[in-house]
Amino acid sequence: MGEAATIAGYDYGRDRIPRSPVSLTDLQQILETVDFTDTDRRYLTMAGDVLADQAEQMVDAWRARIGAQPHLARWFFDPNGHPNERYKAAVKPRFVQWVLDTCRRPYDQAWLDYQDEIGRRHTPEKKNVTDEVSGPPVVPHRYLIAFAAVIITTARGFLAAKGHSTDDVDGMSTAWCKAVLLTLALWSRPYARDGLW
Amino acid sequence: MGEAATIAGYDYGRDRIPRSPVSLTDLQQILETVDFTDTDRRYLTMAGDVLADQAEQMVDAWRARIGAQPHLARWFFDPNGHPNERYKAAVKPRFVQWVLDTCRRPYDQAWLDYQDEIGRRHTPEKKNVTDEVSGPPVVPHRYLIAFAAVIITTARGFLAAKGHSTDDVDGMSTAWCKAVLLTLALWSRPYARDGLW
């Protein structure tokens, strides 16, 4: 992950982001809830290899869908009501890196801290700050959750693109689904009312 | 869905539940966000036929997992710290019916109203009220999101149990994933801070 160090705003493992208020015990319980197993970890590693040279293409495909839906695109507009291309360009390499990190990083304290940071960067607490842009203060929670369906269901085609067996594609798809919902559970924390997360 | 009328607390389409604050326009935008298509609707109908005599078994399998994880099971305990069997028994037929409704009901105003009702029944606004039980006031949001991974990934085995082609099982699985995340987006509304949903 050497190239990742050069991505602006990619603060994975850096002291400048705070420790997540979610404990490692909480994380363990969420991992159990999604039924994340050693088999899933192995399949995620395989998925990381399969997706390494496709991650940018995946992100391009997802962002094309976002850009085509006004109710999704507007959260990345500038105050004049136009797509903020600088903002979009700044976010993209982090989105690509997220695909790879989800597959390859151990789910430890550094990973947990960065997931909370990503969650906050979608809410008024931190949105627009990292890239110093002016835009709407939030990506609404309903769209974050709903778009996970696209992140999950479109992955299968990319996971099948390298000639793996159906069993392997099933295994990678299942592990990916669990990892995305684990991530979504963590990103949801700053959206939730006190005591309900 | 004639039997559904006899399920206690199953208030689908009934005047006793309020209109959802989510508009049909909002719903349409969430449907677009999950990329719900006519093909998905056809596959959900197929899934409804495949799952009709398996839905209770699915719910039993999901609840066995919940019961085996103390951090999940405790939200259904009574004040003495024991599983509330009456509560669990009351919820079960509604959970089974949810599987069938997700596959078979049109996503219209009545469906929207009942999804909001289900969301509220997981939060302090309505939890425990329907079944007149005493228990914790919420099912934490993180577990609702994380357990969706189990609802999604375990469905494939049930969808494949009736000898359909791989293409049909893929199509039903994809449609089911989209429907579950659509539902989860709607259920998340009462959990979210003002203005962030």
Side-chain angles (χ1 to χ4, degrees), chain B residues 86-150:
Chain B
R86 183 171 70 78
Y87 182 30
K88 288 170 60 184
V91 169
K92 179 174 167 175
R94 297 200 298 268
F95 200 170
V96 172
Q97 188 62 36
W98 170 79
V99 173
L100 301 178
D101 284 347
T102 303
C103 293
R104 294 177 160 174
R105 294 277 198 181
Y107 296 161
D108 58 10
Q109 187 69 53
W111 182 82
L112 191 60
D113 294 344
Y114 196 56
Q115 300 319 305
D116 202 73
E117 174 73 8
I118 295 175
R120 282 182 285 112
R121 288 181 183 184
H122 287 82
T123 68
E125 196 179 334
K126 257 328 255 295
K127 189 166 179 288
N128 307 318
V129 172
T130 305
D131 303 303
E132 296 175 3
V133 294
S134 299
V138 67
V139 176
H141 198 23
R142 61 187 180 275
Y143 297 133
L144 201 73
I145 294 174
F147 200 71
V150 172

Side-chain angles (χ1 to χ4, degrees), chain A residues 174-197:
Chain A
T174 295
W176 176 253
C177 175
K178 292 177 182 181
V180 171
L181 283 166
L182 164 68
T183 301
L184 192 66
L186 293 170
W187 292 2
S188 74
R189 190 200 58 76
Y191 285 95
R193 292 178 189 278
D194 291 342
L196 298 197
W197 184 74

Side-chain angles (χ1 to χ4, degrees), chain A residues 2-159:
Chain A
E3 291 174 17
T6 67
I7 300 173
Y10 178 69
D11 293 330
Y12 197 112
R14 291 187 181 153
D15 288 342
R16 76 177 70 162
I17 62 169
R19 176 159 287 223
S20 170
V22 180
S23 71
L24 288 172
T25 302
D26 292 333
L27 173 60
Q28 187 55 43
Q29 291 174 343
I30 303 171
L31 281 162
E32 286 177 37
T33 305
V34 301
D35 190 33
F36 194 80
T37 65
D38 291 344
T39 302
D40 294 311
R41 174 48 73 191
R42 281 198 302 277
Y43 273 124
L44 272 187
T45 302
M46 184 187 291
D49 293 341
V50 169
L51 300 181
D53 66 354
Q54 301 186 88
E56 184 171 358
Q57 190 187 343
M58 293 170 83
V59 168
D60 284 341
W62 295 333
R63 286 164 60 116
R65 286 183 194 240
I66 291 169
Q69 297 178 62
H71 58 278
L72 298 183
R74 60 186 287 244
W75 310 101
F76 304 93
F77 281 7
D78 64 27
N80 298 319
H82 301 108
N84 186 325
E85 297 301 337
R86 183 171 70 79
Y87 181 30
K88 286 170 61 184
V91 170
K92 178 174 167 174
R94 297 199 299 269
F95 201 171
V96 173
Q97 188 62 36
W98 170 77
V99 173
L100 301 179
D101 285 347
T102 302
C103 292
R104 293 176 160 174
R105 295 277 198 181
Y107 295 161
D108 58 10
Q109 187 69 51
W111 183 82
L112 191 60
D113 294 344
Y114 196 56
Q115 299 320 304
D116 203 72
E117 175 72 8
I118 295 175
R120 282 182 286 113
R121 288 181 184 185
H122 287 82
T123 68
E125 197 180 336
K126 248 343 245 295
K127 189 166 179 290
N128 306 318
V129 173
T130 305
D131 304 303
E132 296 176 5
V133 294
S134 298
V138 69
V139 176
H141 198 23
R142 61 186 179 275
Y143 297 133
L144 202 73
I145 294 174
F147 200 71
V150 172
I151 303 281
I152 292 168
T153 58
T154 60
R156 193 176 178 90
F158 294 99
L159 293 168

